[in-house]
Amino acid sequence: MLEAADTAPIRSRTAPPTWLVVALACAGQFLVVLDVSVVNVALPSMRTDLGLSGAGLQWVVNAYAIAFAGFMLLGGRAGDLYGRKRMFLVGLGLFTLASLGGGLAQEGPQLLLARAVQGLGAAVLAPSTLTLLTAAVPEGPARARAVATWTAVGAGGGAAGGLVGGVLVDALSWRWVLLINVPVGAVVLAGSVAWLAESRAGERRRLDLPGALLVTAGLATLAYGIVQTEAEGWTAAATLLPLAAGLALLGLFLLVEARAVAPLMPLRLLRQRPVAAANAAMLVSGSAMFSMWYFMTLYAQNVLGYSPLEAGLALVPSSLAVVAGSKLAPRFMPVLGPRNVAVVGTLVAAAGFGWQSTMTPHGAYPTEIMLPGVLMMLGAGLAATPLASLATSGAAPGEAGLVSGLVNTSRTMGGSLGLAVMSTIAAARTAGTPTPAALTDGYALAFRVSAVMLLAGAALMLLWLPRGSTTQTAR
């Protein structure tokens, strides 16, 4: 365990302009969210250049996501204890250096290591972006506008990822989807050192480093075991040992959390029905939705022959749909109730996944990429907001931020395991035959299984989520 000294909030002698603090915080958030999606259109180019296997390709995505999810809560607590500005700088520095290492990677393992370090840096950086912003802007309309800007920038980062990645890969190379972070990160670092003010929570509390290491190692080992089923089968020792080790590590994580003085994930929160149900629902739905971008990009480039830029442009309507769904959900929640909006959103997404599973090797863009993609992501946006709202409605006011972080962690963890499962399912159906027809069959099966998972998630929400409405609505 690491222990922080008891410190009071630290103030800078000259307060920086509020707009500058908001701009720096939003720039950090944009980089973190952008990097979740920007690599997708570069995956085929990465595979060709570095000789990655199909399993290795999914780890380009999962190495980042698992490290991000496993250390996200730790990053938020570290900011409270050791200083939000300090952790912002540490996280951004790690992220920038790892981006440089990934962009210069000459072999697959080097790229995967860089992506994992990127995820760690993002986990330290991301929580501090919001806390620095709220500390700099007084409570009231000004803060509401600042938080709305921060949210919009995050959504924009996710939406822009495919297009930005396509432009960079087509105009330069796949390496620039990572190298572009270096000059941007350096500028934000310089501005942050000069202008951001330091603050801490001022409490003497322990940092649950063992918990973060156990959950990350357990998740990665479990995902590795799932991937091994493709080549070794479910009964081979090469599969069973990592699966058992991953489950054991996750079990040990729960044991550590139950006994920790300041646990990373307070298990008592999961005894509250809204919190437990929302996290379970996000885990299940995230396991299906996370893989959408991965398979859509591979389908567009490996089967339909799109260039990286064309693939990025093809996914722009889907990216805008998730933003639209997130904006529409708060309008429906007071009328239908958060639970019903989450269920409807999940069913809309399931319909999109089912439609996408009818894809063919010679599909037309409107009916086999654009429209099903819009349905999938519109549903994802509709479901995410009420789930987060329901989860935080069941927590004490002082724990709302922690519970919101738990929901995001559950979604990312579910997505990481879901990508491992869906990739294995697709590869098993393809059976090593790289023809357009075989690849399409594999991708279609992954979308079909994802649709079933979403239907199960909708049933879970309907049966377990509380029926009452929350007081949290967006204006």
Side-chain angles (χ1 to χ4, degrees), residues 83-278:
R84 281 72 179 259
K85 175 181 176 178
R86 181 179 297 174
M87 289 300 103
F88 183 93
L89 296 175
V90 168
L92 183 56
L94 269 177
F95 184 88
T96 304
L97 288 174
S99 298
L100 177 63
L104 299 178
Q106 299 301 308
E107 297 179 358
Q110 295 172 357
L111 176 60
L112 300 186
L113 176 61
R115 287 288 288 166
V117 178
Q118 263 193 313
L120 174 60
V124 176
L125 168 64
S128 296
T129 62
L130 184 57
T131 51
L132 283 169
L133 184 148
T134 54
V137 183
E139 191 170 357
R143 180 180 292 182
R145 289 193 297 271
V147 172
T149 301
W150 178 86
T151 303
V153 166
L163 181 58
V164 171
V167 170
L168 291 172
V169 175
D170 257 16
L172 300 168
S173 78
W174 68 262
R175 297 181 181 278
W176 280 95
V177 302
L178 301 173
L179 292 176
I180 193 65
N181 295 326
V182 178
V184 177
V187 170
V188 178
L189 268 172
S192 302
V193 169
W195 292 107
L196 289 183
E198 185 61 282
S199 67
R200 297 179 185 142
E203 299 179 18
R204 177 177 288 275
R205 299 176 63 188
R206 292 182 176 181
L207 190 61
D208 185 13
L209 183 58
L213 291 174
L214 284 170
V215 71
T216 305
L219 189 65
T221 306
L222 193 61
Y224 176 77
I226 294 170
V227 172
Q228 286 294 97
T229 62
E230 176 191 340
E232 306 291 341
W234 283 97
T235 59
T239 297
L240 294 177
L241 287 177
L243 287 176
L247 292 173
L249 287 169
L250 292 176
L252 186 58
F253 163 70
L254 294 176
L255 182 63
V256 167
E257 296 305 283
R259 299 186 176 186
V261 176
L264 188 67
M265 186 180 74
L267 300 182
R268 57 182 172 75
L269 290 178
L270 297 181
R271 291 196 289 268
Q272 301 175 27
R273 180 181 171 188
V275 177

Side-chain angles (χ1 to χ4, degrees), residues 22-430:
V22 173
L24 291 170
C26 287
Q29 176 70 359
F30 182 83
L31 283 175
V32 168
V33 178
L34 180 73
D35 234 65
V36 176
S37 58
V38 72
V39 299
N40 282 306
V41 295
L43 291 174
S45 301
M46 290 176 175
R47 181 174 188 173
T48 300
D49 195 19
L50 299 181
L52 291 168
S53 64
L57 201 64
Q58 66 174 281
W59 280 102
V60 174
V61 178
N62 256 354
Y64 182 90
I66 289 174
F68 188 23
F71 288 100
M72 191 186 305
L73 295 178
L74 185 78
R77 185 156 292 171
D80 291 339
L81 299 178
Y82 301 112
R84 281 72 179 259
K85 175 181 176 178
R86 181 179 297 174
M87 289 300 103
F88 183 93
L89 296 175
V90 168
L92 183 56
L94 269 177
F95 184 88
T96 304
L97 288 174
S99 298
L100 177 63
L104 299 178
Q106 299 301 308
E107 297 179 358
Q110 295 172 357
L111 176 60
L112 300 186
L113 176 61
R115 287 288 288 166
V117 178
Q118 263 193 313
L120 174 60
V124 176
L125 168 64
S128 296
T129 62
L130 184 57
T131 51
L132 283 169
L133 184 148
T134 54
V137 183
E139 191 170 357
R143 180 180 292 182
R145 289 193 297 271
V147 172
T149 301
W150 178 86
T151 303
V153 166
L163 181 58
V164 171
V167 170
L168 291 172
V169 175
D170 257 16
L172 300 168
S173 78
W174 68 262
R175 297 181 181 278
W176 280 95
V177 302
L178 301 173
L179 292 176
I180 193 65
N181 295 326
V182 178
V184 177
V187 170
V188 178
L189 268 172
S192 302
V193 169
W195 292 107
L196 289 183
E198 185 61 282
S199 67
R200 297 179 185 142
E203 299 179 18
R204 177 177 288 275
R205 299 176 63 188
R206 292 182 176 181
L207 190 61
D208 185 13
L209 183 58
L213 291 174
L214 284 170
V215 71
T216 305
L219 189 65
T221 306
L222 193 61
Y224 176 77
I226 294 170
V227 172
Q228 286 294 97
T229 62
E230 176 191 340
E232 306 291 341
W234 283 97
T235 59
T239 297
L240 294 177
L241 287 177
L243 287 176
L247 292 173
L249 287 169
L250 292 176
L252 186 58
F253 163 70
L254 294 176
L255 182 63
V256 167
E257 296 305 283
R259 299 186 176 186
V261 176
L264 188 67
M265 186 180 74
L267 300 182
R268 57 182 172 75
L269 290 178
L270 297 181
R271 291 196 289 268
Q272 301 175 27
R273 180 181 171 188
V275 177
N279 276 275
M282 196 63 85
L283 188 75
V284 173
S285 60
S287 68
M289 293 180 182
F290 190 78
S291 60
M292 176 265 187
W293 303 108
Y294 179 85
F295 287 114
M296 290 288 276
T297 299
L298 295 182
Y299 172 62
Q301 293 187 63
N302 292 344
V303 176
L304 300 182
Y306 286 20
S307 70
L309 177 57
E310 289 170 338
L313 289 170
L315 296 177
V316 167
S318 305
S319 302
L320 296 177
V322 72
V323 177
S326 300
K327 293 292 185 182
L328 288 172
R331 298 180 180 273
F332 294 137
M333 285 163 58
V335 179
L336 301 176
R339 184 192 68 165
N340 292 334
V341 175
V343 170
V344 169
T346 304
L347 291 176
V348 169
F353 274 85
W355 187 349
Q356 190 64 57
S357 72
T358 65
M359 59 174 58
T360 65
H362 307 288
Y365 170 69
T367 56
E368 300 206 25
I369 289 185
M370 186 182 74
L371 293 177
V374 166
L375 278 181
M376 285 186 275
M377 290 298 100
L378 179 65
L382 282 172
T385 301
L387 286 176
S389 180
L390 282 167
T392 54
S393 72
E399 295 175 333
L402 174 60
V403 172
S404 179
L406 281 176
V407 170
N408 290 327
T409 300
S410 296
R411 176 174 54 191
T412 309
M413 286 183 173
S416 301
L417 292 178
L419 178 58
V421 171
M422 300 307 167
S423 296
T424 302
I425 289 172
R429 173 59 66 94
T430 302

